[in-house]
Amino acid sequence: MPLPFLARLLGGAPPPPPLPCPPHAPALVTAASWTMIAAALATWLALTFAVPPAPYGRHGRTNPANAARYGRGLPARAAWALQELPAFLIPLALAVHAAKVTGSGFTGLTAALGPQKTVLLGAFLAHYAHRALIFPLRIRGGARTPLGIAALAFLFCTLNGTLQGAALVWCGRESAVVPPALFKGGMGAMAAGGALNLAADGALRRLRSGAASSSSTAAGAYKLPAGPLFALVACPNYSGEALEWAGWAAASGFSLPATAFALYTLANLGPRARAHNAWYRARFPGGFEGRAGMVPWVY
Ligand code: NDP
């Protein structure tokens, strides 16, 4: 990595002028971000007070009538790969196109974006490269995902991939350079959240070993998770995911698009974590007493 890049990353020196931006992009990014914040509130209210958890995973198995309303089931691996792929491919395509526009490829792109946005974009791409291409291959015995649920996730990933990619690649600096301490703290939180998410997903995977891993629809192949990761919350993988995107939003200087995504993640995963927690308590009486769903002692 070139030294000036590192120096600018750590020192927060002013970046060069942004890439040319399509005329209506900033207004569209702002409108889409506010729409996502409104959708986050509606999602949280609906999932908390009105509708059952989305019927994939255990909540599809235990509520097959609700799952059937969303169409036939897709194999878990195919559903996860297809629904998450747009969040990786769209920002990648925007970045590749922008690199061509600069005339000097990746070097030109990083120079135009500045070091902070380069790191933010790289972190987003790395997360979704894993989620779309590696995570599905490692699923063991995952429940089938109804087509309608996969389609909704695909739509969300398409819109969010476009929003975050456009905000980072096209719209230049929405605000001034992020103060170095906030940027470093945010990226540190993102890395910690990512590590927690990976560790917790790995621990859940290990609960299904041997014969249980061979069937994609085996009902009842759930065990009570144990160990330090699950000491305080039922869903440390969701805690990690939420921390990841909160950290990413902080590192962006709480830019509107990144903050909207972090809020949506909280609104979506929070009620689901509580539903998982309730499910564990009903299925394994006494097993998860005293634990929260996603935020230790709080939620
Ligand atoms: P879950 O924790 O519900 O399930 C993860 C995997 O572990 C599934 O394959 C599940 O099988 C299996 N599993 C879960 N609990 C047990 C258990 N007690 N015993 C045996 N196996 C178990 O997570 P999700 O499937 O909802 O999410 C997967 C990943 O995607 C997570 O990292 C999550 O953070 C992320 N995600 C991110 C979202 C966002 O808004 N950014 C939205 C949704 C997910 P089965 O399918 O059979 O239940």
Side-chain angles (χ1 to χ4, degrees), residues 96-295:
V96 169
H97 177 260
K100 278 192 189 148
V101 169
T102 67
S104 45
F106 181 71
T107 313
L109 178 66
T110 55
L113 289 181
Q116 291 182 341
K117 287 209 163 174
T118 300
V119 169
L120 289 167
L121 179 63
F124 189 88
L125 289 173
H127 175 94
Y128 277 104
H130 169 264
R131 181 67 73 223
L133 302 174
I134 299 171
F135 172 79
L137 294 176
R138 305 182 76 196
I139 289 174
R140 286 185 182 175
R144 294 174 80 88
T145 304
L147 188 58
I149 295 294
L152 285 174
F154 178 87
L155 184 67
F156 179 83
C157 286
T158 300
L159 295 175
N160 191 45
T162 308
L163 172 61
Q164 306 302 336
L168 284 168
V169 174
W170 281 347
C171 294
R173 265 125 244 114
E174 185 190 67
S175 55
V177 173
V178 180
L182 182 60
F183 178 78
K184 284 185 258 180
M187 288 311 296
M190 185 186 195
L196 175 59
N197 176 264
L198 288 176
D201 275 344
L204 290 173
R205 231 178 355 254
R206 284 190 292 280
L207 292 178
R208 290 203 177 125
S209 53
S213 68
S214 62
S215 164
S216 62
T217 54
Y222 292 95
K223 294 179 189 155
L224 187 68
L229 290 176
F230 296 88
L232 298 176
V233 293
C235 300
N237 53 345
Y238 291 176
S239 317
E241 182 96 24
L243 179 61
E244 228 183 311
W245 296 118
W248 194 70
S252 78
F254 293 104
S255 73
L256 190 56
T259 304
F261 179 35
L263 289 175
Y264 192 88
T265 302
L266 266 178
N268 184 30
L269 292 182
R272 192 168 182 84
R274 286 168 73 97
H276 273 31
N277 200 14
W279 180 95
Y280 276 120
R281 287 175 190 211
R283 187 157 178 137
F284 301 97
F288 260 7
E289 287 314 316
R291 282 181 180 79
M294 192 169 88
V295 183

Side-chain angles (χ1 to χ4, degrees), residues 35-48 50-51 264 267:
T35 305
M36 191 181 281
I37 290 172
L41 183 60
T43 299
W44 184 81
L45 287 172
L47 289 172
T48 303
V51 299
Y264 192 88

